[in-house]
Amino acid sequence: MSRKRFEELVSDGLDLVPEELLRLMDNVVVLVEDRPPPEDPDLLGVYEGYALTDRGSEYSGVLPDRITIFRRPILSICDTEEDVVDEVAITVVHEIAHHFGIDDKLLHELGWG
């Protein structure tokens, strides 16, 4: 799958997030990279930044938080484009949840692991 098509699927995954949650997202950017860091080659996505629940009055003048979706690991676990669509959507929602301060344990309990 081309990078362009994969990026379209990430955009589609963002479209699945309810509008009221998207409006609450603050100072965050969603990116696509081909590969995760070498120390974690199976990583599908990562959130880097300060969750909204951790931001206090001292939070200002910082670079945007980053949600990075990794193309190659997702493609390696999917057999069809439909599988890619599903996995991208799950990964996008999972990383956005971290922006809202939801940890991996709760995400797994909710079926977004």
Side-chain angles (χ1 to χ4, degrees):
M1 173 179 298
S2 73
R3 182 176 174 109
K4 180 180 179 187
R5 176 66 180 138
F6 188 84
E7 288 174 349
E8 290 170 356
L9 295 179
V10 171
S11 179
D12 292 347
L14 285 168
D15 290 342
L16 296 174
V17 178
E19 184 64 35
E20 55 272 10
L21 289 181
L22 287 176
R23 282 194 304 268
L24 294 172
M25 291 177 66
D26 182 46
N27 200 29
V28 62
V29 62
V30 178
L31 306 167
V32 171
E33 295 290 339
D34 278 337
R35 292 182 173 83
E39 62 272 9
D40 202 353
D42 297 325
L43 191 65
L44 304 181
V46 68
Y47 170 76
E48 301 168 288
Y50 298 95
L52 293 176
T53 55
D54 295 335
R55 296 179 184 181
S57 59
E58 72 283 348
Y59 180 84
S60 67
V62 298
L63 292 173
D65 293 0
R66 294 170 46 123
I67 292 173
T68 306
I69 308 301
F70 298 109
R71 184 172 76 95
R72 294 218 182 242
I74 289 176
L75 293 178
S76 74
I77 64 169
C78 296
D79 295 322
T80 66
E81 184 167 307
E82 184 177 316
D83 292 342
V84 175
V85 169
D86 292 342
E87 192 57 52
V88 165
I90 290 167
T91 303
V92 166
V93 169
H94 180 104
E95 300 309 331
I96 287 173
H98 288 317
H99 178 67
F100 286 99
I102 300 172
D103 64 17
D104 280 328
K105 182 178 183 230
L106 181 55
L107 282 167
H108 284 275
E109 290 172 8
L110 296 172
W112 292 98

